[in-house]
Each structure stands twice: as structure tokens, then as C-alpha cells.
Amino acid sequence: MFRIGEFAQIAQVSTRQLRFYDQIGLLRPCHTDPQTGYRYYAIRQLPRLNAILALKDLGLMLDQIGPLLDDAISSEELRGMLLLKRADAEHAIRTGEQRLRHIESRIAQIDRQGAISGYDVVTKSLPPQPILATRHTVADLEEAGTLVAAAAAAGWVALRPAHRGNLIVVARNDPDSDRLDLTIGYTLTRSTGRTLTTQGLTFSPENLPAIDIAATIVRQGTNPESHVAFGAIGTWIEANGYAVAGPSREIFLEPVLELPGFDKALVEIQFPVSPA
Amino acid sequence: MFRIGEFAQIAQVSTRQLRFYDQIGLLRPCHTDPQTGYRYYAIRQLPRLNAILALKDLGLMLDQIGPLLDDAISSEELRGMLLLKRADAEHAIRTGEQRLRHIESRIAQIDRQGAISGYDVVTKSLPPQPILATRHTVADLEEAGTLVAAAAAAGWVALRPAHRGNLIVVARNDPDSDRLDLTIGYTLTRSTGRTLTTQGLTFSPENLPAIDIAATIVRQGTNPESHVAFGAIGTWIEANGYAVAGPSREIFLEPVLELPGFDKALVEIQFPVSPA
DNA sequence: TTGCTCCTCACGTCACGTGAGGTGGC
DNA sequence: TTGCTCCTCACGTCACGTGAGGTGGC
């Protein structure tokens, strides 16, 4: 018979741990002195403790281990539990690798810039989004700016405030030319099936698909600032082992009160991505 | 201005989380109605929330993130924190891979045997161990048994109980022959520098080195049982990506009262291992 | 008026670690 | 008698989740 300290030393666990296992009934000492409360363990209890430690190491929780050791669980059930645990473990590894890439890209960023970037990329999942929008191709960013301003203004007056959400711009690359393919419109708080023509622009309803993983960034301010933010998100996507998986979206979060003054607007850039 | 629910939806967090960040002062709502307690958030607070989420994702704790965002921390210090976090993340990945191998070897074991083995392998680290022992080579297991019984009995009577720990057998493979090289003796509770000869056997002091990682198993009972336990530990070592890194040890945990009746003894087998 | 949203407690999570304050055993 | 070990509370951990019980806003 060993006192708790000796037994703990043999098994390489803390005395607190043994007292805890006693308390929850997982490993009762062979004998407890009713006078002093001293716990006495037999060396024959070591296999049970080892079984507990081995199962704990597989990721099982203590309240699952008890029934398992007392044979209240078939090997078929144990197999099922282990398959779940395997999935958990695989997921944990993938999450850990992801986190490691995030950390390393941050370190590299500090080493490059000597400072902390003002931008923080966050991944989210996005639901399907109904919009009412007009689609055009433009030659360059200047033309794009003019078009966005015009479409934003036209939509702003033509759409009822109760239906109108945020200004949104979807940018597709046109593979056949070097022109930009832009879809400009407003998110809808209530779906509409109606096409609308105003100030020479035709707004059609469209349902943007859900995005499983979107890398997003919030930028604020002027257009020259914009491509810095795009650069930051692009670098992030590459450094973190993702690939772009669809057209990017820009959501103008703050209602733009003085059109076309986008200078103070807060814009969320969303890139659908998938693990490369 | 958004109420907490809307803001939570935009940022893909729970309202509880936003209330918690308010409570700990990490992200205070732009305005709180003193009458109702309603929290109102400005969309301009989204970048800060995103920064919080991004840093949390790197494994930083919330109380580290606050000072970081309020510029109370230099980029040099942040770099240091990230280097620590990188080490944590790498360690977590290795631990996770280790756990995955453990789980998979358990599943494979169930699939082979249809049941749960009575043996549980546990890894520990072992401190250096002073012993007093006699060393011989033997031809086969039968001769080994006879020698262990004789040496155990000789040591039992020759060593003072206050100094004598457990019976220990260290087995080395002799590469030049197929004979077994056995060191048989007792662990010492107090070091001794004395060599002792009794019943034709010479016991010399020796200090067994510490073992960083030992794969251990506790077996109970007869010698025929023994090689089942050896088989179990061998399979485990291979399945979990380890390699044997030294001679194995057997510690007879239960004082063997009736020599040479080892039948009821509890024995811990220890194999030093290293990641393969 | 009816839902819907918001509020503030306050307990629960998981497996112990870490004292505080006191006692048994050699 | 002096250390050493043991005992029982009881709080702390980390970032919220989950009700309970009650109220504001359209």
C-alpha cells in the first residue's frame, strides 16, 4: 500500500489529480482511513490509472472513461467514439496548421514593414445575397469611379429606402479583354423580382451566391487607399495557403450621404477563397 | 448606428460575445442608452472588432489584445509574442499528430482483435535510477527465468530492506550472439557505492540513465503472459511513430513475497523510445 | 396588443492548479 | 519537537453558452 504521494510519483501524476479522480469516482483508493482521511493505494491500481491516462490521451473526457473501464461500453461503441475522436484530431491539426500560417504571415509582415498594418483580414461565411444591380464593362479605374458614382446615385433615388440595403460592387475580370466587368447596385432587405430603369441605367435583380469562406477586410476612405487594402488582402490570401475562388465584392457599409463623396465611406472587401 | 443584434450579424459574432467584450472593456459600444441599457454600435467600430478577431485567431488571449490595439505595445514586443505563439502552434500540431496516431492505432487494434486489449501503454519520463545488480548472458528464456529467480532471492536476503527498492531486470540484446544480456538487481532507495558478493553472484552498483520518453506497460502474472505484453508494447511503439532507443527494463512493482513465485507479480515494462 | 429584441444576473464549462488553514506520522 | 506529508475547502482558469426573469420598441 502506498500513500498518495508515493503512488503519484510512481505514476507521474499530481496528488491533486488522484484526489480529483477519487472525488469523481474514477479511481477510488484501495483504502481510506476513516480517522485521518488518508488515501492508500495498492500497486494493482496502477493498470487502471494507466488505462485512464491512455484514454485521456486519445482525447476522451473523464466522464466517458469511467463507463468504458467498467465495461459498460461495447467495443463497437468504443470504435464509434474513436472515429469521432479521429475526426476531431484531424480537424484540430488542420486548424493548427492554419493558425501557424496566420502567425507566420504576421511575423513576415512585421519583418517587411517594421510595423503593424492597419488592416486585419478576417474570414467569415456569407449567406446568399439578393441585390438589384446594373452590369457594365469599363476600361480603367477612372471610368469605374465615374460609373460607380452614377449608378450609386441613380439607385439611391430610385429604390425605396425600406428595400435598399448597402451599395455593392462586384468586380469580375473579363478574360477576353483587359476591361473590368462591374456589377453595381444595392443589397436588398426584401427580395424584389422587378427590373428598373432610371437615368439610362437598367437595374436587374440578381441573387449573389453564398460564400463558404470569404476573406474580408474593412477599408476606410479614398480610392487611392483602396488598392493598398486589395494588396493587403491579396498578400494574406497567398501567405495563408488560400486561393481566390470567385469575383470579389465591395460593400459600402456606411450609408453614403453625400454622393459622390466616397472619401469617408467604410468599405468591406470580400474575396471568396478556398484552401489552395 | 446599429443595435447589438444587427452589429453581431454583420460581424458574424454572437451578441453575448459583444456584451462580453464590452464588459472587459475590449470593445465599448459607441453609445449606451442610460435609460434602457441598449448598446449602439457604429459601423466604424467594425475594423477594431475585426482586429480583435484576427489577433484572437493567432492564439492571443483577450487581455493581451486590448493593450495591443491601444498601441501600448511596440511591434518589437508583438513580434516576440508572435514568435512564442508560433512555437505554441508548432507544438500543438505535433501533439495533435501524435494523438491522431494514438487514436488510429487503437482503431486498428479493435479491428484486428474485435475487442479492447487489457494493456495500456503510457509514456512517462524517468529520472536516473541507482541500482545494485549482477550482469550475465543467458541462452534462452528458461535459463533467464532460473537466473532471475536466483538473483532475486540472493539480493533479497543480502540487501537491507531500508535500502532495497524493487526487483529490476534490464535486457540488452547482444549483437554478436543470440544470447540475452541481463542485468538483474534491485533499485536503491539510498545510493550505495559497495559491491556485494553472495551465493556466488556479484552485485555491483550502477546508475541507470534517465529516460526522456519511456513507453511503459504494466503486466500482471505469469511468464507466458509476458511476451503478449512485449508484443503489445512493440506494436504500439511502431504504430505511434516511435523507435526503441535503448535497453528495456522490467520493474517488479509488487514486493515478491514468496520467491520464486512471480505468478502474481505486477511488472512494469519500460522501453526508452524516441520519435522515429 | 403581439412578437421581437434587448437587458442583467448567474450558473456551467473541463480538469485540474494553487493557496489557506489545519492535522497526522516518524 | 521539527519537518514532511496528508487532509478539506474554495477560488481561479478562459471565453464565452445558456437559460431565467424581466423590459423596451415598432
Side-chain angles (χ1 to χ4, degrees):
Chain A
M1 302 285 266
F2 300 92
R3 292 197 303 185
I4 197 169
E6 304 168 272
F7 195 63
Q9 205 181 349
I10 292 169
Q12 308 251 298
V13 297
S14 69
T15 58
R16 174 64 172 113
Q17 207 171 330
L18 289 176
R19 287 194 195 99
F20 183 67
Y21 290 171
D22 179 12
Q23 186 185 325
I24 64 173
L26 190 55
L27 183 74
R28 288 264 150 74
C30 182
H31 171 68
T32 304
D33 188 313
Q35 295 301 316
T36 65
Y38 272 39
R39 294 172 179 80
Y40 293 94
Y41 291 87
I43 197 69
R44 290 176 186 278
Q45 300 188 272
L46 193 53
R48 186 181 170 94
L49 179 53
N50 281 344
I52 292 168
L53 297 178
L55 291 168
K56 192 161 78 80
D57 216 43
L58 302 182
L60 294 178
M61 286 187 310
L62 296 186
D63 57 1
Q64 299 178 302
I65 293 175
L68 223 155
L69 292 180
D70 301 336
D71 279 336
I73 283 182
S74 72
S75 68
E76 214 22 72
E77 284 172 301
L78 176 59
R79 212 187 98 96
M81 291 166 67
L82 291 179
L83 291 180
L84 284 177
K85 286 298 160 194
R86 182 174 63 181
D88 289 353
E90 285 167 347
H91 184 248
I93 291 170
R94 279 197 301 275
T95 305
E97 287 168 342
Q98 187 64 43
R99 163 171 303 186
L100 182 58
R101 277 198 295 272
H102 285 193
I103 295 168
E104 286 178 337
S105 81
R106 277 279 183 151
I107 293 173
Q109 188 190 332
I110 292 176
D111 290 345
R112 270 201 318 278
Q113 311 190 350
I116 305 146
S117 138
Y119 292 114
D120 292 288
V121 178
V122 170
T123 57
K124 351 179 148 173
S125 66
L126 299 170
Q129 176 67 63
I131 63 171
L132 193 68
T134 182
R135 185 166 174 180
H136 305 270
T137 67
V138 295
D140 54 31
L141 284 177
E142 193 182 339
E143 194 184 338
T146 311
L147 178 66
V148 168
W156 182 267
V157 292
L159 270 160
R160 271 191 291 182
H163 292 192
R164 185 185 62 211
N166 297 110
L167 179 62
I168 182 169
V169 179
V170 182
R172 276 170 257 256
N173 283 323
D174 186 343
D176 300 333
S177 71
D178 55 358
R179 291 175 71 83
L180 281 167
D181 175 355
L182 297 182
T183 302
I184 306 156
Y186 284 89
T187 61
L188 295 172
T189 51
R190 300 174 210 182
S191 265
T192 182
R194 301 258 287 282
T195 293
L196 185 151
T197 301
T198 178
Q199 295 178 29
L201 295 166
T202 299
F203 290 82
S204 308
E206 188 178 341
N207 202 24
L208 295 181
I211 301 179
D212 270 358
I213 315 175
T216 71
I217 206 171
V218 176
R219 72 174 167 88
Q220 181 180 2
T222 58
N223 272 335
E225 185 79 355
S226 166
H227 83 275
V228 176
F230 269 95
I233 201 170
T235 307
W236 186 95
I237 288 170
E238 199 183 332
N240 289 287
Y242 286 114
V244 174
S248 71
R249 306 174 186 176
E250 283 181 281
I251 315 274
F252 289 68
L253 293 170
E254 192 129 275
V256 183
L257 297 174
E258 314 148 52
L259 287 165
F262 297 117
D263 281 22
K264 296 190 298 183
L266 227 66
V267 183
E268 182 172 270
I269 306 172
Q270 303 171 337
F271 269 90
V273 294
S274 56
Chain B
M1 302 285 265
F2 300 91
R3 292 197 303 185
I4 196 169
E6 304 167 89
F7 194 62
Q9 204 180 350
I10 292 170
Q12 307 250 299
V13 298
S14 69
T15 58
R16 174 64 172 113
Q17 208 171 331
L18 289 177
R19 287 195 195 97
F20 183 66
Y21 290 170
D22 180 13
Q23 186 186 324
I24 63 173
L26 191 55
L27 182 73
R28 288 263 150 76
C30 181
H31 172 68
T32 303
D33 187 314
Q35 295 301 316
T36 65
Y38 273 38
R39 294 171 179 82
Y40 293 94
Y41 292 87
I43 196 67
R44 289 174 187 280
Q45 299 189 273
L46 194 52
R48 187 181 170 96
L49 180 52
N50 281 344
I52 292 168
L53 297 177
L55 291 169
K56 192 161 77 84
D57 216 42
L58 301 183
L60 295 178
M61 286 189 309
L62 296 187
D63 56 2
Q64 301 178 301
I65 293 176
L68 225 154
L69 293 180
D70 301 336
D71 280 334
I73 285 183
S74 73
S75 69
E76 215 18 74
E77 285 173 301
L78 175 60
R79 213 187 99 95
M81 291 166 68
L82 291 179
L83 291 179
L84 284 178
K85 287 298 161 192
R86 182 173 65 180
D88 289 352
E90 283 167 349
H91 185 247
I93 291 170
R94 281 198 299 276
T95 306
E97 286 168 343
Q98 188 62 43
R99 164 171 302 185
L100 182 58
R101 278 197 294 272
H102 284 191
I103 294 169
E104 285 178 339
S105 82
R106 276 279 183 152
I107 292 173
Q109 189 189 333
I110 291 177
D111 289 346
R112 270 199 319 275
Q113 313 189 350
I116 306 145
S117 139
Y119 294 115
D120 292 287
V121 177
V122 170
T123 57
K124 349 180 149 172
S125 68
L126 299 170
Q129 175 67 62
I131 64 171
L132 193 68
T134 181
R135 186 166 174 179
H136 305 270
T137 66
V138 296
D140 54 31
L141 284 177
E142 195 182 336
E143 196 185 338
T146 311
L147 178 66
V148 169
W156 182 267
V157 293
L159 270 161
R160 271 192 289 181
H163 292 194
R164 185 184 63 211
N166 297 111
L167 180 62
I168 182 169
V169 180
V170 182
R172 277 170 258 254
N173 283 322
D174 186 342
D176 299 333
S177 71
D178 54 358
R179 292 176 70 85
L180 281 166
D181 175 355
L182 297 182
T183 302
I184 308 158
Y186 285 88
T187 60
L188 296 172
T189 50
R190 301 174 210 183
S191 265
T192 182
R194 300 261 287 281
T195 293
L196 183 153
T197 300
T198 177
Q199 297 179 29
L201 295 166
T202 300
F203 291 82
S204 307
E206 187 177 342
N207 202 23
L208 295 181
I211 302 180
D212 271 356
I213 314 176
T216 72
I217 205 170
V218 177
R219 71 175 168 88
Q220 180 179 3
T222 58
N223 272 336
E225 185 79 355
S226 165
H227 82 277
V228 177
F230 269 95
I233 201 169
T235 307
W236 185 94
I237 288 170
E238 200 183 331
N240 289 287
Y242 286 114
V244 174
S248 70
R249 305 174 186 177
E250 284 180 281
I251 315 274
F252 290 69
L253 293 170
E254 191 129 275
V256 183
L257 298 174
E258 314 150 53
L259 287 164
F262 298 117
D263 282 21
K264 296 189 299 182
L266 228 64
V267 183
E268 183 172 90
I269 305 170
Q270 303 171 337
F271 269 90
V273 294
S274 56

